[in-house]
Amino acid sequence: MRKLAIFCQSPKGGVGKTTIAKCIVDAARRLRRADGTAFAVAAYDTDPANGQLAKSHGIKDAAGAYAPQANSVDPCAGVAMFDARVAPEKFVDAL
């Protein structure tokens, strides 16, 4: 099975990384194969200090807050989060 990884990154804040990532995740999760089945699209937010992608697209708990456990179990349904500065090997594990 072929996999594709798309990274939105920049050392500068406020340049639209999260906006672009949201658009890519939304569009990719709407794509369908010729037989009508959806592609598995996993999303990861690597900035736990801000985590805007996880806050907007992640699975929420009953109170409406980001649910880390539910998202880490199924990043194709939500958005898993990890700190790329602390655990960069998770990039490889995610693929």
Side-chain angles (χ1 to χ4, degrees):
M1 176 174 67
R2 193 178 92 184
K3 293 184 179 184
L4 172 67
I6 301 172
F7 298 92
C8 296
Q9 65 179 26
S10 172
K12 173 98 175 69
V15 295
K17 297 178 296 289
T18 300
T19 301
I20 295 299
K22 286 178 186 179
C23 291
I24 292 170
V25 169
D26 284 341
R29 286 184 175 171
R30 283 192 208 109
L31 288 174
R32 297 289 181 259
R33 292 182 179 88
D35 65 4
T37 58
F39 291 94
V41 178
Y44 297 88
D45 194 325
T46 61
D47 185 4
N50 296 313
Q52 295 302 310
L53 181 62
K55 289 177 185 172
S56 66
H57 283 54
I59 298 169
K60 311 289 190 297
D61 62 16
Y66 176 76
Q69 182 60 32
N71 284 282
S72 64
V73 169
D74 190 3
C76 290
V79 177
M81 187 181 295
F82 63 90
D83 191 338
R85 294 174 207 102
V86 175
E89 70 279 357
K90 289 204 175 187
F91 278 124
V92 176
D93 294 344
L95 299 174

